[in-house]
Amino acid sequence: MDFRNRDVVSIKDFSKSEMDYILRYAKKMIPYARGERHADVMHGKILASLFFEPSTRTRLSFECAMNRLGGRVIGFADPGATSQRKGESLADTIRMADAYSDIIVIRHPQEGSARLAAEFAASPILNAGDGAGRHPTQCLLDMFTIVMEKKRIKGNRIVLLGDLKYGRTVHSLAYALSLFGAELVFVSPESLRMPKEVIEECREFGVDPVSTSNLERAIRDADVLYVTRIQKERFPDAAEYNRVVGTYRIDADLLRHAREDLIIMHPLPRVTEIDPEVDKTPHAVYFKQAFNGVPVRMALLSLIAGGRKI
Ligand code: NCD
């Protein structure tokens, strides 16, 4: 299996066996991600971390991953401090990052921006979220979390809840979970349903997701509940956002309907959709999930830009 110098624009860039391989390799990275063991496989390499949109976990876990592997990081978290402010094009900014680094991570509000970046850069491009499009590395860490918590993905009943229209994490995840043979239930407000093309992708793998707005019913026989935030920044109209905000919330009362071994995931940040009292229940795995971004991104960085040395 050869990952060297490959772009990761969409989760579809990987086959099922490649995803399996990355997840297994990520498991080996855990002690390195925790700082218990030390690796130097990215020594002499530079990661360009280009964040045109806000980020906490994705940016910091990528940067942490590169540092843990002995590499170095350049970049920005605020495009307002770059020549974009002077009117520079995305293509030219990418050309510069390409000249100054060995691998580029990009998050950008425009769908398709990572694909465009891949056209202008010789170095590999990792898509860290392109608008309401895709978020492949989040998908891998979500898959990794399910495997760590539930041993396997196949056969699990997984509820994707919330803003399925604008949420890029669920677009990538629905595809990958279908490929691995999970059962899918989509729960969302009527106006934020999963896009048709994502449902079509699931059907290609023989998975026929159930769409409903009845969360209480859906939660009863779920193995995994994947909660998402309403993506306020993607709404063309504030009135439309106000209509859906606060329409679902996970709290102790709702969880009385859940199975004991239900796990609750969330890509974070959460706003109002999970009551903080849920944090102390055994259902909550979202903070572990956020940590899992480090070993998964270490695995990816080292396979793509460093070669497998661990
Ligand atoms: C998500 C994102 O940016 O798409 N966050 C993340 O990467 N962990 C989800 C969100 O912002 O709601």
mmCIF file of all heavy atoms in Angstrom, residues 58 107 135 138 168-169 229 231 267-269, ligand 1:
data_model
loop_
_atom_site.group_PDB
_atom_site.id
_atom_site.type_symbol
_atom_site.label_atom_id
_atom_site.label_comp_id
_atom_site.label_asym_id
_atom_site.label_seq_id
_atom_site.Cartn_x
_atom_site.Cartn_y
_atom_site.Cartn_z
ATOM 1 N N THR A 58 -9.059 20.669 14.977
ATOM 2 C CA THR A 58 -8.433 20.194 13.737
ATOM 3 C C THR A 58 -7.045 20.808 13.595
ATOM 4 O O THR A 58 -6.061 20.101 13.348
ATOM 5 C CB THR A 58 -9.322 20.532 12.522
ATOM 6 O OG1 THR A 58 -10.617 19.978 12.755
ATOM 7 C CG2 THR A 58 -8.747 19.929 11.252
ATOM 8 N N ARG A 107 -7.954 24.479 5.523
ATOM 9 C CA ARG A 107 -9.391 24.614 5.822
ATOM 10 C C ARG A 107 -9.849 25.926 5.218
ATOM 11 O O ARG A 107 -9.200 26.958 5.417
ATOM 12 C CB ARG A 107 -9.653 24.613 7.320
ATOM 13 C CG ARG A 107 -11.070 25.084 7.646
ATOM 14 C CD ARG A 107 -11.429 24.922 9.079
ATOM 15 N NE ARG A 107 -11.620 23.521 9.413
ATOM 16 C CZ ARG A 107 -12.098 23.095 10.576
ATOM 17 N NH1 ARG A 107 -12.428 23.977 11.519
ATOM 18 N NH2 ARG A 107 -12.251 21.808 10.817
ATOM 19 N N HIS A 135 -14.827 16.526 4.992
ATOM 20 C CA HIS A 135 -13.860 16.662 6.087
ATOM 21 C C HIS A 135 -13.252 15.270 6.326
ATOM 22 O O HIS A 135 -13.532 14.618 7.332
ATOM 23 C CB HIS A 135 -14.601 17.180 7.320
ATOM 24 C CG HIS A 135 -13.737 17.749 8.405
ATOM 25 N ND1 HIS A 135 -12.359 17.564 8.457
ATOM 26 C CD2 HIS A 135 -14.044 18.504 9.497
ATOM 27 C CE1 HIS A 135 -11.888 18.176 9.535
ATOM 28 N NE2 HIS A 135 -12.887 18.755 10.174
ATOM 29 N N GLN A 138 -11.369 14.207 9.677
ATOM 30 C CA GLN A 138 -12.323 14.055 10.788
ATOM 31 C C GLN A 138 -13.039 12.716 10.656
ATOM 32 O O GLN A 138 -13.252 12.011 11.655
ATOM 33 C CB GLN A 138 -13.342 15.207 10.763
ATOM 34 C CG GLN A 138 -14.425 15.111 11.834
ATOM 35 C CD GLN A 138 -13.924 15.436 13.230
ATOM 36 O OE1 GLN A 138 -13.108 16.343 13.398
ATOM 37 N NE2 GLN A 138 -14.385 14.706 14.237
ATOM 38 N N ARG A 168 -20.220 19.184 7.233
ATOM 39 C CA ARG A 168 -19.325 18.455 6.317
ATOM 40 C C ARG A 168 -18.854 17.134 6.927
ATOM 41 O O ARG A 168 -18.560 16.188 6.220
ATOM 42 C CB ARG A 168 -18.132 19.341 5.959
ATOM 43 C CG ARG A 168 -17.418 19.923 7.175
ATOM 44 C CD ARG A 168 -16.507 21.073 6.772
ATOM 45 N NE ARG A 168 -15.928 21.756 7.917
ATOM 46 C CZ ARG A 168 -15.388 22.963 7.848
ATOM 47 N NH1 ARG A 168 -15.369 23.631 6.715
ATOM 48 N NH2 ARG A 168 -14.856 23.515 8.916
ATOM 49 N N THR A 169 -18.785 17.077 8.270
ATOM 50 C CA THR A 169 -18.278 15.837 8.885
ATOM 51 C C THR A 169 -19.214 14.665 8.579
ATOM 52 O O THR A 169 -18.768 13.572 8.269
ATOM 53 C CB THR A 169 -18.116 15.969 10.418
ATOM 54 O OG1 THR A 169 -19.401 16.047 11.022
ATOM 55 C CG2 THR A 169 -17.314 17.191 10.809
ATOM 56 N N ARG A 229 -23.518 20.159 15.426
ATOM 57 C CA ARG A 229 -23.939 21.532 15.702
ATOM 58 C C ARG A 229 -24.665 22.085 14.477
ATOM 59 O O ARG A 229 -24.298 21.758 13.347
ATOM 60 C CB ARG A 229 -22.654 22.333 15.953
ATOM 61 C CG ARG A 229 -22.757 23.817 16.016
ATOM 62 C CD ARG A 229 -21.348 24.415 16.215
ATOM 63 N NE ARG A 229 -20.515 24.310 15.025
ATOM 64 C CZ ARG A 229 -20.440 25.232 14.070
ATOM 65 N NH1 ARG A 229 -21.149 26.335 14.144
ATOM 66 N NH2 ARG A 229 -19.654 25.059 13.023
ATOM 67 N N GLN A 231 -24.864 24.533 11.755
ATOM 68 C CA GLN A 231 -23.743 25.286 11.174
ATOM 69 C C GLN A 231 -24.197 26.720 10.832
ATOM 70 O O GLN A 231 -24.362 27.069 9.653
ATOM 71 C CB GLN A 231 -23.226 24.575 9.923
ATOM 72 C CG GLN A 231 -22.924 23.090 10.131
ATOM 73 C CD GLN A 231 -21.598 22.843 10.820
ATOM 74 O OE1 GLN A 231 -20.540 23.179 10.276
ATOM 75 N NE2 GLN A 231 -21.633 22.274 12.025
ATOM 76 N N PRO A 267 -18.261 15.969 16.719
ATOM 77 C CA PRO A 267 -16.949 16.448 16.228
ATOM 78 C C PRO A 267 -16.468 17.658 17.030
ATOM 79 O O PRO A 267 -15.277 17.981 16.993
ATOM 80 C CB PRO A 267 -17.222 16.819 14.767
ATOM 81 C CG PRO A 267 -18.699 17.080 14.689
ATOM 82 C CD PRO A 267 -19.335 16.192 15.731
ATOM 83 N N LEU A 268 -17.398 18.305 17.736
ATOM 84 C CA LEU A 268 -17.154 19.526 18.502
ATOM 85 C C LEU A 268 -16.759 20.663 17.527
ATOM 86 O O LEU A 268 -16.243 20.363 16.473
ATOM 87 C CB LEU A 268 -16.092 19.322 19.582
ATOM 88 C CG LEU A 268 -16.405 18.207 20.596
ATOM 89 C CD1 LEU A 268 -15.224 18.036 21.562
ATOM 90 C CD2 LEU A 268 -17.690 18.485 21.373
ATOM 91 N N PRO A 269 -16.992 21.921 17.799
ATOM 92 C CA PRO A 269 -17.512 22.434 19.058
ATOM 93 C C PRO A 269 -19.014 22.185 19.209
ATOM 94 O O PRO A 269 -19.756 22.231 18.260
ATOM 95 C CB PRO A 269 -17.252 23.938 18.920
ATOM 96 C CG PRO A 269 -17.333 24.210 17.453
ATOM 97 C CD PRO A 269 -16.772 22.995 16.796
HETATM 98 C C1 NCD B 1 -16.369 20.432 12.668
HETATM 99 C C2 NCD B 1 -16.046 21.210 11.409
HETATM 100 O O1 NCD B 1 -15.251 22.159 11.431
HETATM 101 O O2 NCD B 1 -16.596 20.816 10.390
HETATM 102 N N1 NCD B 1 -15.420 20.591 13.670
HETATM 103 C C3 NCD B 1 -14.255 19.884 13.632
HETATM 104 O O3 NCD B 1 -13.534 19.878 12.651
HETATM 105 N N2 NCD B 1 -13.933 19.168 14.698
HETATM 106 C C4 NCD B 1 -17.766 20.567 13.134
HETATM 107 C C5 NCD B 1 -18.347 21.919 13.405
HETATM 108 O O4 NCD B 1 -17.722 22.958 13.234
HETATM 109 O O5 NCD B 1 -19.500 21.938 13.826
#
